Amino acid sequence: MIPSLVTGAWQEGDPLGARMFADIGDIVLDSGRTLPQVRLAYQTWGTYDGSNAVLVLHALTGDSHVTGPAGPGHVSPGWWDALVGPGRAIDTDRLFVVAANILGGCQGSTGPASLDPDGRHWGGSFPALTVRDQVRAEMALADLLGIPCWHSVIGGSAGGMRALEWAIEAPDRVDRLFLLATSAAASADQIALSTTQMDAIRADGAYAGGDYYDGPHGPLNGLGLARRIAHISYRSEHELAQRFGRDTQDDGRFAIESYLQHHGAKLVSRFDANSYVVLSDAMNSHDVGRGRGGVTSALSRITARAVVAGIDSDRLYPIHQQQELAENIHGSAPLAVVTSDHGHDGFLVEADQVGDLARRLMG
């Protein structure tokens, strides 16, 4: 087992929690490489009746634990606990909800902290992934679970990227589509923020080109700094001004400084630096129009009934990006705007507004 001073990744021998595992075999990647012996960790809730399966896709640092308490195997409570469960907006009394840890992640699915076929940690040799590669793995999981068509595919942020790819690449497998705070392609602004975070990790002396798992320390400082940079973009200027302003603490730190350090430390306890780099790089690859005649042409392939929502205070995924989706997906309702002071994280925080939209789509 890898020491906690190296990575927060889930490892063989750690408590399983509610995880299950699917061995989906080899995945041929967009790069032309083959990733062998791929495994996805996943969780399910509810009972499958042949037509009620819902795929919930997590964002960059999420995982398969969408709903449920913290406990052995799960450092944090479910990240969408207010929306998914019996009687909730995504009602597990009548729907069969599936959530998988993303390919390249660090909570049980094949990723850089996993062992390669030779029994060594992949580390820096783990191949580059695209969003389409990740969806290819999720399609293999759906096949293994015997789910030919999803009642709904739901995703926010990076999860929305994968939801889009699902609906474009396999329109006959997606009946309804819920997109939150996402885009048709990664923008220059988003790539700039992402690559700066990746460079913060690589600049940590413990990174060692990604081959740090056998060392006494991992690039935890770099990962924490990357999270702090990201978290600024996840929240709104108005919220930070109202909550923290120029207040200082007894130790002399600005309150906002302490807040960001806290969030950096929280991520370090449950995530892996290599996965952060691999997943960020995959998000930067996102462009639904690549090889499909452009964004408008790609979006015209979607046949699902759709709801697209943006957050009015989102400075990371500004609302014009969701407007583009709503205008070019033929089956989309007009753009829904979630009112929030919380910026991009509003898709996680505003459970009442997001829940109302989910009910409208899912009936």
Side-chain angles (χ1 to χ4, degrees):
M1 190 178 299
I2 302 173
S4 60
L5 290 176
V6 174
T7 180
W10 184 91
Q11 294 288 301
E12 296 288 348
D14 288 346
L16 292 177
R19 285 177 188 80
M20 296 176 282
F21 298 96
D23 293 316
I24 60 174
D26 300 350
I27 298 291
V28 179
L29 306 176
D30 281 351
S31 65
R33 289 187 61 178
T34 296
L35 184 59
Q37 302 175 21
V38 172
R39 180 179 74 171
L40 292 186
Y42 70 100
Q43 291 176 240
T44 68
W45 300 264
T47 302
Y48 184 45
D49 68 8
S51 63
N52 67 338
V54 174
L55 179 63
V56 176
L57 300 168
H58 68 76
L60 170 62
T61 61
D63 55 35
S64 64
H65 195 52
V66 174
T67 185
H74 302 294
V75 175
S76 304
W79 54 268
W80 235 6
D81 209 38
L83 264 78
V84 179
R88 296 172 192 162
I90 303 172
D91 186 357
T92 54
D93 283 337
R94 66 183 188 86
L95 298 169
F96 178 64
V97 176
V98 179
N101 185 217
I102 192 171
L103 180 66
C106 62
Q107 289 298 317
S109 291
T110 296
S114 305
L115 300 180
D116 67 17
D118 295 324
R120 297 188 293 267
H121 295 286
W122 277 100
S125 67
F126 193 80
L129 301 176
T130 67
V131 174
R132 296 183 194 181
D133 294 329
Q134 293 164 334
V135 170
R136 200 168 292 125
E138 290 164 1
M139 288 179 177
L141 172 64
D143 292 342
L144 196 66
L145 295 177
I147 300 172
C149 179
W150 297 102
H151 174 285
S152 304
V153 175
I154 299 171
S157 192
M161 296 176 180
R162 303 201 302 286
L164 267 172
E165 283 291 342
W166 260 100
I168 292 168
E169 193 62 27
D172 59 327
R173 301 189 72 168
V174 181
D175 186 59
R176 307 179 202 199
L177 180 65
F178 190 13
L179 304 172
L180 296 134
T182 194
S183 66
S187 69
D189 190 57
Q190 289 154 357
I191 293 169
L193 284 163
S194 175
T195 53
T196 300
Q197 295 164 44
M198 294 158 67
D199 284 345
I201 292 171
R202 295 186 181 114
D204 188 315
Y207 184 63
D211 296 319
Y212 51 80
Y213 297 108
D214 294 328
H217 297 281
L220 306 187
N221 289 332
L223 177 58
L225 180 57
R227 179 61 164 190
R228 290 168 62 189
I229 296 168
H231 202 77
I232 297 168
S233 70
Y234 295 160
R235 314 301 284 211
S236 75
E237 187 275 341
H238 175 74
E239 179 195 12
L240 298 183
Q242 291 297 309
R243 288 181 63 184
F244 304 106
R246 293 185 49 80
D247 293 349
T248 57
Q249 300 182 155
D250 291 342
D251 60 7
R253 289 182 297 166
F254 283 107
I256 182 60
E257 177 186 12
S258 174
Y259 168 77
L260 293 173
Q261 289 171 346
H262 168 72
H263 279 280
K266 278 181 65 178
L267 185 73
V268 162
S269 71
R270 64 175 183 83
F271 216 76
D272 178 63
N274 271 330
S275 276
Y276 199 98
V277 170
V278 166
L279 299 183
S280 297
D281 200 37
M283 291 174 66
N284 292 341
S285 80
H286 176 57
D287 179 1
V288 298
R290 174 171 50 86
R292 294 172 175 149
V295 166
T296 302
S297 175
L299 295 178
S300 72
R301 298 186 184 193
I302 296 174
T303 59
R305 175 184 164 196
V307 167
V308 181
I311 315 299
D312 63 356
S313 58
D314 192 342
R315 55 181 171 180
L316 179 59
Y317 285 80
I319 209 155
H320 69 82
Q321 294 183 324
Q322 294 88 57
Q323 185 68 56
E324 178 184 35
L325 297 174
E327 289 178 352
N328 289 284
I329 296 173
H330 299 319
S332 177
L335 176 67
V337 177
V338 173
T339 301
S340 178
D341 287 339
H342 299 293
H344 184 63
D345 275 354
F347 84 93
L348 298 170
V349 175
E350 303 294 349
D352 290 343
Q353 294 181 67
V354 173
D356 287 345
L357 294 172
R359 289 187 184 94
R360 181 192 308 173
L361 177 68
M362 302 170 72

